[in-house]
Amino acid sequence: EAGVTQSPTHLIKTRGQQATLRCSPISGHTSVYWYQQALGLGLQFLLWYDEGEERNRGNFPPRFSGRQFPNYSSELNVNALELEDSALYLCASSLTGGVGETQYFGPGTRLLVL
Amino acid sequence: EDQVTQSPEALRLQEGESSSLNCSYTVSGLRGLFWYRQDPGKGPEFLFTLYSAGEEKEKERLKATLTKKESFLHITAPKPEDSATYLCAVRNSSASKIIFGSGTRLSIRP
């Protein structure tokens, strides 16, 4: 069974540009979560999508946004990139987003902002 | 405020030297405590989910336990390939997000 997949694996952008990161959940999973992991820091919750709707977002500015498509894949968009946005962006999926469900992570997209 | 604290930050062990990693949590209505393993530059790999105090789960050299305030990840006779960062996370009663600790970097010397 295929796990969570993310693309691209690496992305290099310059300040002020926009970045788009993509995630495909495990087959049958409807919930997708996005996390940011900056160097030396823990995982910070960004966004949660379920059944095409945004269910919750973490303490990040509005220039971090995303969406979930009808096939449950998801996209994270980061506008007006800043140097401190450089990080590993992780996507996770769970079956329905229900209480106590395990989240399974993808390999991540390494974003470097120059 | 919901919080997860892991200790120690880093742990170096000799191959075969058993030890435990700690995860202390404060959460409004625990709806799951999760352990993950993360290798450098990769996504976290799921290890265990625990739901209630007294619960225990095992996988190879790892055993996770849960009390009302903390969880332990016991590693028995570790091997160099067990070297990784171990992350603990909790989900609260609102289930709206999962809160991660900062992790324990485990290094096993041959």
Side-chain angles (χ1 to χ4, degrees), chain A residues 33 35 37 99-100 102-103, chain B residues 31 36 38 49 51 91 98:
Chain A
Y33 309 80
Y35 293 85
Q37 188 175 35
V99 169
T102 299
Q103 295 180 15
Chain B
R31 291 295 183 267
Y36 291 87
Q38 186 176 26
T49 304
Y51 293 104
R91 200 158 190 181
I98 190 167

Side-chain angles (χ1 to χ4, degrees), chain B residues 42-53:
Chain B
K42 298 189 176 180
E45 174 190 343
F46 170 70
L47 293 173
F48 304 109
T49 304
L50 301 167
Y51 293 104
S52 56

Side-chain angles (χ1 to χ4, degrees), chain B residues 13-85:
Chain B
L13 299 172
Q14 199 69 34
E15 184 173 0
E17 181 185 0
S18 301
S19 188
S20 297
L21 313 182
N22 178 264
C23 171
S24 298
Y25 63 91
T26 305
V27 66
S28 51
L30 182 69
R31 291 295 183 267
L33 184 141
F34 309 89
W35 282 99
Y36 291 87
R37 168 197 169 122
Q38 186 176 26
D39 293 303
K42 298 189 176 180
E45 174 190 343
F46 170 70
L47 293 173
F48 304 109
T49 304
L50 301 167
Y51 293 104
S52 56
E55 192 174 356
E56 299 182 352
K57 288 194 178 172
E58 286 188 68
K59 178 181 178 181
E60 296 179 357
R61 295 178 291 283
L62 298 175
K63 179 180 176 180
T65 62
L66 181 64
T67 72
K68 287 186 177 180
K69 292 192 182 299
E70 58 192 348
S71 176
F72 292 94
L73 184 66
H74 308 277
I75 182 160
T76 303
K79 299 181 177 181
E81 53 262 42
D82 295 322
S83 297
T85 295

